[in-house]
């Protein structure tokens, strides 16, 4: 049985293997320009992002109430990223990009080219992490996942029985997910593979918080590598009353009556506008994953536009400049997509 850890997704020694001289140099340049911008409140940008969130699809098979796709709140048309778009992104950033997050809104395994995405990124020695609701982990899919070279796979399991699990994962099948986890753990051992690191992610919600000891034991029995206890994100006070645990130690929010306020709001600065970006399934480049509907699209990667043009465009520069100044009297950002930002938050317990 493997030793179960609670190491966070970004904290993986495997990331080191993705580094090269040109990538380290890019990280240094980005961090230097970030420090200058933060200290002097003057916009400056050197280098390109070394972390990218790339959305394989915004389609999903489940109806989770706090997910933009699952709840039907997403206004974007259903779309799968094409391999040609993905290839163009990787080819352009191959000397700078270290870390790829292959999930955002939607279920990544619904994109039939997912394994081609992973293989292409791994060909360029990039660290790749993806996430799934676990409903597609057949033996064949598990073998293809492992053979693709994926570094880490997060599998959502928000309960230790069907009743609890299904209360949030609308349309989900608890037994199917558990069997999928067993499949990939077993096949990984049969293939003698060290990757992907397999993480079970348990979203801590009011109705399942009492099952934390049980999910720890279940994760050990399933022989996965990691257990991630993630605090729930809500969009309104009404949602907070329904989903946020009453124990503040299990929440990223401070409750006052029926109001829910982030315990550690990102009041001053955000590094993501310098270090990373999110590319939606239709090729739209947005500042971060909190722009779920692409309201702040900076440009679209396609046959006419490449990422670098968008990254250094006048619109993107203006957004970063506004970000450094657009702080109200309480020193909180007034940009709407930043209101529920996880920067500095207790995302994982």
């Amino acid at each position: 049985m493997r030793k179960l850890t609670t190491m966070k997704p970004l904290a993986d020694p495997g990331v080191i293997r993705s580094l090269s001289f040109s990538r380290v140099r890019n990280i240094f340049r980005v961090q230097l320009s970030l420090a200058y911008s933060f200290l002097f409140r003057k916009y400056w940008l050197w280098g390109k992002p070394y972390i990218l969130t790339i959305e394989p699809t915004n389609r999903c098979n489940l109806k989770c109430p706090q997910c933009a796709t699952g709840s039907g709140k997403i206004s974007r048309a259903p779309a799968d990223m094409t391999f040609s778009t993905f290839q163009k992104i990787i080819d352009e950033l191959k000397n700078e990009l270290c870390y790829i997050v292959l999930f955002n809104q939607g279920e990544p395994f619904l994109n039939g080219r997912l394994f081609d995405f992973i293989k292409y990124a791994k060909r360029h020695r990039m660290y790749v992490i993806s996430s799934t609701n676990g409903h597609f982990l057949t033996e064949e899919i598990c073998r293809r996942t492992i053979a693709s070279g994926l570094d880490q796979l997060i599998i959502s399991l928000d309960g230790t029985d069907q009743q609890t699990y299904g209360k949030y994962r609308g349309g989900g099948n608890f037994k199917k997910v558990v069997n999928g986890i067993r499949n990939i753990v077993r096949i990984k051992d049969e293939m003698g593979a060290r990757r992907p690191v397999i993480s079970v992610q348990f979203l801590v919600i009011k109705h399942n918080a009492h099952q934390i000891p049980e999910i720890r034991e279940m994760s050990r029995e399933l022989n996965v590598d990691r257990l991630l206890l993630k605090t729930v994100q809500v969009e309104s006070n009404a949602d907070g009353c329904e989903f946020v645990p009453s124990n503040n130690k299990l929440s990223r929010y401070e409750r006052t009556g029926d109001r829910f306020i982030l315990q550690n709001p990102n009041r001053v600065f955000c590094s993501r506008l310098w270090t990373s970006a999110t590319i939606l399934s239709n090729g739209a480049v947005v500042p971060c994953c909190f722009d779920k509907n692409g309201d702040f699209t900076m440009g679209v990667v396609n046959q006419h536009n490449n990422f670098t043009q968008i990254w250094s465009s006048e619109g993107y520069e203006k957004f970063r400049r506004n970000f450094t100044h657009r702080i109200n009297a309480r020193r909180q950002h007034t940009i709407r997509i930043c209101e529920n930002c996880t920067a500095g938050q207790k995302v994982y317990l």
Side-chain angles (χ1 to χ4, degrees):
M1 181 176 290
R2 297 180 182 87
K3 181 180 179 181
L4 185 67
T5 72
T6 55
M7 188 179 292
K8 307 305 182 287
L10 279 171
D12 190 328
V15 177
I16 301 298
R17 291 192 290 271
S18 70
L19 297 178
S20 64
F21 175 78
S22 63
R23 291 173 183 175
V24 171
R25 180 179 60 185
N26 179 62
I27 292 172
F28 176 77
R29 295 179 69 201
V30 170
Q31 289 294 329
L32 187 63
S33 63
L34 174 61
Y36 180 90
S37 300
F38 174 76
L39 291 173
F40 299 103
R41 285 293 184 270
K42 293 182 179 180
Y43 168 74
W44 199 264
L45 177 67
W46 288 323
K48 299 177 183 178
Y50 49 87
I51 301 172
L52 269 189
T53 294
I54 300 178
E55 180 183 78
T57 182
N58 62 351
R59 298 181 296 119
C60 191
N61 56 306
L62 300 185
K63 302 291 184 183
C64 305
Q66 292 303 297
C67 169
T69 298
S71 64
K73 295 177 182 177
I74 196 166
S75 60
R76 292 186 280 132
D80 290 356
M81 177 168 284
T82 64
F83 181 70
S84 60
T85 298
F86 184 86
Q87 189 177 36
K88 182 174 184 176
I89 296 165
I90 300 302
D91 288 347
E92 185 180 349
L93 298 176
K94 61 186 177 184
N95 294 323
E96 294 86 15
L97 189 56
C98 305
Y99 196 108
I100 297 178
V101 180
L102 262 183
F103 62 94
N104 188 40
Q105 301 300 307
E107 166 55 48
F109 281 74
L110 286 175
N111 187 319
R113 300 300 299 272
L114 178 67
F115 302 120
D116 295 325
F117 290 1
I118 299 168
K119 288 177 182 178
Y120 198 75
K122 293 305 299 178
R123 191 183 304 171
H124 293 283
R125 294 181 53 246
M126 298 172 182
Y127 185 94
V128 185
I129 178 174
S130 193
S131 178
T132 178
N133 58 42
H135 285 75
F136 301 97
L137 296 177
T138 63
E139 291 209 7
E140 178 190 356
I141 293 298
C142 289
R143 292 187 187 279
R144 294 181 67 189
T145 300
I146 296 164
S148 71
L150 182 67
D151 290 287
Q152 186 176 169
L153 180 64
I154 299 173
I155 307 171
S156 297
L157 187 64
D158 308 322
T160 58
D161 55 66
Q162 176 61 43
Q163 182 177 4
T164 306
Y165 171 82
K167 191 169 183 178
Y168 185 83
R169 295 284 168 178
N173 186 316
F174 172 78
K175 288 185 178 179
K176 192 171 187 177
V177 177
V178 171
N179 287 338
I181 296 172
R182 294 189 193 280
N183 280 342
I184 197 163
V185 170
R186 173 178 55 81
I187 294 170
K188 179 183 168 184
D189 287 341
E190 290 175 358
M191 295 175 66
R194 297 181 62 184
R195 298 276 163 171
V197 173
I198 301 170
S199 303
V200 162
Q201 181 169 278
F202 184 86
L203 191 63
V204 181
I205 316 171
K206 179 183 287 187
H207 70 265
N208 71 5
H210 66 284
Q211 291 188 338
I212 290 178
E214 295 175 29
I215 196 63
R216 290 187 191 277
E217 185 58 35
M218 178 175 285
S219 298
R220 292 189 184 94
E221 188 273 327
L222 289 170
N223 207 20
V224 298
D225 300 294
R226 296 176 183 170
L227 170 63
L228 305 173
L229 299 175
K230 187 176 182 179
T231 57
V232 68
Q233 174 189 314
V234 294
E235 300 295 333
S236 68
N237 290 322
D239 292 337
C241 291
E242 182 176 357
F243 296 105
V244 176
S246 55
N247 184 348
N248 283 342
K249 293 181 179 180
L250 304 178
S251 169
R252 67 181 74 170
Y253 300 95
E254 190 76 38
R255 180 170 185 171
T256 304
D258 288 337
R259 296 186 66 224
F260 292 82
I261 308 296
L262 288 171
Q263 293 185 26
N264 299 296
N266 181 23
R267 295 180 182 276
V268 182
F269 211 71
C270 181
S271 63
R272 293 176 182 175
L273 296 179
W274 279 256
T275 63
S276 64
T278 295
I279 305 182
L280 304 179
S281 54
N282 62 356
V285 179
V286 297
C288 81
C289 60
F290 280 91
D291 189 1
K292 298 176 182 179
N293 275 313
D295 295 330
F296 293 88
T297 295
M298 300 298 163
V300 179
V301 177
N302 52 36
Q303 60 181 340
H304 305 295
N305 300 312
N306 61 39
F307 179 84
T308 302
Q309 291 171 329
I310 298 168
W311 180 249
S312 57
S313 67
E314 182 179 348
Y316 222 143
E317 288 188 1
K318 183 178 180 181
F319 189 88
R320 294 189 190 95
R321 290 181 192 276
N322 287 343
F323 188 86
T324 60
H325 300 295
R326 207 172 162 189
I327 301 174
N328 62 24
R330 297 175 60 191
R331 295 185 62 77
Q332 290 178 303
H333 298 298
T334 56
I335 301 174
R336 180 177 49 76
I337 63 171
C338 303
E339 293 174 356
N340 217 357
C341 178
T342 56
Q345 296 306 308
K346 184 169 59 178
V347 179
Y348 293 98
L349 301 175

